[in-house]
Amino acid sequence: MSGKLSERDFIGAIESRNDIRLFFVFGQDESAAASIASALIARLGPESEAIEIDSAKLRSDPALLSDEAASQSLFGGARHIRLHFAREEGLDAIANLLSAEQAGNPVIATAGDLKKTSKLRTLIEGSPRALSYICYPPSEGEAVDQAVAAAGALGLRIDRTLAAQIVRYTGQDRRLVAMELEKLSLYYDSAPDRVVTVEPQALSALAAETAEEDINALVNQVLTGDAKALGRTIIEARAIGIEAIRIIRALQRRIALLTGMRAKVEDGANAGAVVRANRAIFWKEQEAFTRQVQRWTAPRLAGLNAHLIEVEAKLMATGADLNETLFEEELVRIARAAARSR
C-alpha cells in the first residue's frame, strides 16, 4: 500500500500498525532508505532478533520469507526480518508473505530506484498488508534542514552554514551525516538536555577524518577532464571503500545543477557570473564549476546523465568482483571526453 505518509509517520507505523507485514523503503536516495530502515528497526527495540535474508535466496525458495515471518524465536522473544533487494526478484516470495494466513514478524525491506511499472513495486503498493515509502534525492536545502534537525535531536545547536558544510563533504549521504553529527555530539558531550552550540573550529577538527572521503574532488576531476589527477583519486577512493553508487549519485546531482546553469549560459549569460550567483556553490569550487559549465553543453549533459543510468544498470547486473574495474574505467572515459571538449 502506498500513501502520502511523512517519513516520521511511516517510521511510527511499525509500532502502531500491526496489520502491516512488510515495510518497504526504496528510491534514488539509497542512503535515506538505509537510514529509515535503521530507524524502523530501532523502534522495535534492541531485544528484537534480526533475521537477514538476501533477496537472491527468494528465487529458489519462495516460501522462505513467509515461513520466517510466521516462525517464533527459539527463546520466544521478538524478531524481525531485514531484506534488501539487489534486483527485482522474489515476487513469488513477497506474494506468499502478503497472502499468508499469519505472519507475526515484520519484514523491513529496502531497494534502489524502481519505476512505476516495476512488478515488485506494483505488488507491494497494491497490498493492504504492506506499506511503502519512496526516497527522493533531497535538494541541498532539504538536506541541510535534515542535518539541523538531526543535530538538534543530539543536543547540538548548529547554524545552517556549518550544516551545509557537513552535507557537502559527505555527498548528502544521510548515514555519513549522522556519523559526523555523532562525532560532534561525543566531542561536546551533548544531549537533548545538554544543548551546546557547534563552533566552526570543532567542525574543522573532526571533519579532517572524513575529508579524505570527500568525493567532490573526484567529481570535479571527472567533469573538468583532469584524467591525470583522477587516477590517484580513484585509488584513494577504492582504498577507503567509497561505493560506486554514491559516486554516481554525486555525479547526477552535479549534472542537474550544471544543466540549470548551462541553460542560462546558452541564453547569453556569462558562465562565471552564473556560478557566482548560485549560493549552493562553495566559493572554493566556483572556478571548477565555471569550467564545467563552459565545457558541458545541455545535450552533452543529458547524454551523460543517460549514460550514468546505463552504467548503474551494468553495476547492478555485474558480479561484485567486476564492479570496481568496470566503474573506474567509465570514470576515466568520461574524464577523457571532458578533456577533449576544452
Side-chain angles (χ1 to χ4, degrees), residues 60-237:
S60 58
D61 190 357
L64 174 64
L65 187 61
S66 56
D67 287 347
E68 289 289 355
S71 65
Q72 293 184 348
S73 170
L74 181 63
F75 301 103
R79 59 189 341 220
H80 65 273
I81 298 164
R82 181 69 174 88
L83 170 65
H84 176 71
F85 287 93
R87 299 177 180 83
E88 185 156 332
E89 55 195 353
L91 285 173
D92 290 341
I94 295 298
N96 288 339
L97 170 71
L98 298 176
S99 61
E101 291 185 7
Q102 61 179 11
N105 304 314
V107 177
I108 299 169
T110 53
D113 193 24
L114 296 174
K115 296 180 180 179
K116 289 185 177 180
T117 54
S118 158
K119 292 181 179 179
L120 179 63
R121 180 176 173 179
T122 300
L123 174 62
I124 293 172
E125 291 184 340
S127 172
R129 291 176 170 173
L131 202 60
S132 63
Y133 185 87
I134 185 168
C135 300
Y136 298 101
S139 66
E140 181 169 293
E142 291 170 335
V144 170
D145 289 340
Q146 292 169 358
V148 171
L154 295 172
L156 296 170
R157 184 185 298 112
I158 186 169
D159 67 35
R160 293 185 62 81
T161 300
L162 294 181
Q165 289 183 28
I166 295 175
V167 164
R168 288 169 186 163
Y169 71 63
T170 55
Q172 293 189 196
D173 188 307
R174 278 175 54 166
R175 291 169 294 184
L176 295 177
V177 170
M179 290 171 61
E180 291 303 297
L181 293 174
E182 287 170 4
K183 286 194 294 184
L184 284 167
S185 180
L186 289 171
Y187 177 82
Y188 281 111
D189 189 27
S190 70
D193 59 345
R194 294 193 307 276
V195 179
V196 296
T197 299
V198 177
E199 300 293 338
Q201 297 87 342
L203 181 61
S204 298
L206 295 178
E209 299 177 18
T210 310
E212 63 179 353
E213 202 175 3
D214 182 9
I215 62 174
N216 282 339
L218 188 150
V219 170
N220 284 329
Q221 289 162 4
V222 169
L223 295 180
T224 56
D226 190 354
K228 184 176 180 180
L230 177 62
R232 185 172 64 182
T233 304
I234 286 176
I235 292 173
E236 293 172 350

